[in-house]
């Protein structure tokens, strides 16, 4: 099939979000000027730069009270955020933290999640999350949108500190089978990432040799 965005596709739901999958979940904690913490999941989220590393998340539409979502308003006010990585075990609390609640409500509290202080930024971390990226706000980019009520923003931040709990590491590397991050698919579907396969870069023999020297036991090698 082919359909043109903005025109009738004849399907029960627009399938485009099921085509760009899986999308990792950036569980974003911020803090406002008054010091109230905020937490919300964003699946329009990814790493998007290196040397130094950057991430992005995209707050779309409006807050239930009108105006920018808290994760956008707060980061523009206080210039810092944390990406807490979400695991299968934390899925229900993550979902609960997406509830549209009034401004000034701390979703750590409404989702039953303990806060843990960050090292380099003011927003707290989700204590139960095994990986946290402490970030400094870089900029907001506004993308085109079809209505003034539904605006498309992308927030970019630079990662300045990384916490990784020892329990999700094997031989000094993040072990996907221990980490078990969840990610968004289309519709109401999610996936949990717990296996992987390796493929050396075609033009990077030295790196391939290094990988051979320290093999990751869980990584399936493609059949010869
Ligand atoms: C798994 C998941 C992914 C989400 N991804 C996004 C997203 O990428 N962009 C967005 O604007 N809202 C997204 N939402 C909805 C927000 O989490 C929700 O609007 C939240 O209330 C925003 O909170 P805030 O105002 O505290 O930032 C997502 C919700 C869930 C459960």
């Amino acid at each position: 099939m082919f359909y043109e965005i903005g025109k009738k596709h004849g399907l029960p739901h627009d399938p485009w979000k099921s085509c760009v999958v899986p999308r990792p979940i950036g569980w974003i904690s911020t803090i406002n000027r008054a010091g109230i913490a905020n937490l919300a999941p964003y699946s329009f989220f990814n790493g998007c730069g290196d040397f130094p590393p950057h991430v992005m998340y995209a707050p779309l539409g409006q807050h239930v009270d009108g105006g920018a979502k808290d994760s956008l308003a707060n980061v523009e006010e206080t210039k810092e955020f944390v990406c807490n990585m979400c695991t299968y075990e934390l899925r229900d609390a993550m979902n609960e933290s997406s509830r549209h609640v009034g401004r000034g409500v701390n979703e750590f509290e409404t989702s039953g999640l303990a806060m843990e202080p960050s090292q380099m930024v003011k927003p707290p971390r989700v204590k139960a999350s095994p990986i946290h990226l402490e970030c400094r706000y870089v900029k907001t980019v506004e993308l085109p949108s079809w209505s003034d009520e539904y605006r498309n923003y992308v927030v970019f931040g630079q990662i300045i500190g990384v916490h990784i709990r020892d329990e999700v590491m094997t031989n000094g590397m993040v072990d996907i089978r221990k980490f078990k991050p969840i990610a968004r698919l289309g519709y109401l579907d999610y996936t949990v990432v717990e296996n992987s396969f390796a493929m050396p870069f075609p033009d990077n023999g030295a790196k391939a040799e290094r990988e051979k020297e320290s093999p990751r036991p869980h990584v399936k090698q493609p059949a010869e």
Side-chain angles (χ1 to χ4, degrees):
M1 72 168 292
F2 171 80
Y3 70 107
E4 200 177 321
I5 292 290
K7 302 213 170 138
K8 285 200 164 71
H9 42 65
L11 302 169
H13 304 281
D14 188 332
W16 89 263
K17 278 186 248 175
S18 339
C19 303
V20 183
V21 292
R23 292 188 306 281
I25 297 171
W27 205 3
I28 306 296
S29 46
T30 54
I31 198 164
N32 68 10
R33 233 182 259 124
I36 299 170
N38 188 87
L39 179 69
Y42 283 84
S43 73
F44 289 130
F45 162 78
N46 223 313
C48 55
D50 214 352
F51 310 112
H54 287 76
V55 289
M56 51 70 57
Y57 65 93
L60 318 173
Q62 289 199 345
H63 190 274
V64 69
D65 294 339
K69 287 190 172 180
D70 284 331
S71 308
L72 173 60
N74 288 357
V75 84
E76 290 188 338
E77 251 177 51
T78 59
K79 317 287 184 209
E80 293 173 339
F81 64 99
V82 178
C83 307
N84 305 273
M85 302 315 295
C86 184
T87 64
Y88 186 70
E89 271 180 19
L90 294 170
R91 65 196 181 282
D92 291 329
M94 178 281 294
N95 200 22
E96 180 57 39
S97 73
S98 76
R99 199 181 285 278
H100 294 115
V101 291
R103 277 199 202 284
V105 173
N106 176 341
E107 292 91 351
F108 281 89
E109 287 166 7
T110 56
S111 314
L113 290 160
M115 294 187 274
E116 185 175 32
S118 295
Q119 204 146 308
M120 300 175 74
V121 300
K122 286 197 194 70
R125 297 179 279 151
V126 173
K127 192 171 182 188
S129 170
I131 297 185
H132 313 98
L133 312 177
E134 296 191 11
C135 300
R136 189 180 296 137
Y137 172 73
V138 174
K139 63 160 88 169
T140 307
V141 172
E142 183 169 10
L143 303 175
S145 82
W146 285 336
S147 96
D148 285 344
E149 283 75 49
Y150 197 97
R151 310 281 281 269
N152 285 313
Y153 297 100
V154 187
V155 170
F156 292 91
Q158 186 183 325
I159 305 175
I160 56 171
V162 179
H163 303 258
I164 308 174
R165 217 189 278 147
D166 290 344
E167 294 96 274
V168 298
M169 297 193 87
T170 303
N171 299 332
M173 286 185 273
V174 174
D175 186 333
I176 205 75
R177 288 186 308 176
K178 295 179 176 170
F179 177 19
K180 291 192 189 354
I182 59 167
R184 277 292 273 131
L185 303 173
Y187 315 110
L188 300 177
D189 299 339
Y190 290 79
T191 188
V192 53
V193 185
E194 43 192 351
N195 59 54
S196 58
F197 62 90
M199 246 195 328
F201 290 107
D203 54 359
N204 197 337
K207 189 157 187 264
E209 284 306 311
R210 273 204 308 277
E211 295 281 345
K212 257 194 250 159
E213 280 162 23
S214 56
R216 281 162 289 165
H218 66 282
V219 174
K220 277 187 238 145
Q221 297 301 319
E224 298 288 355

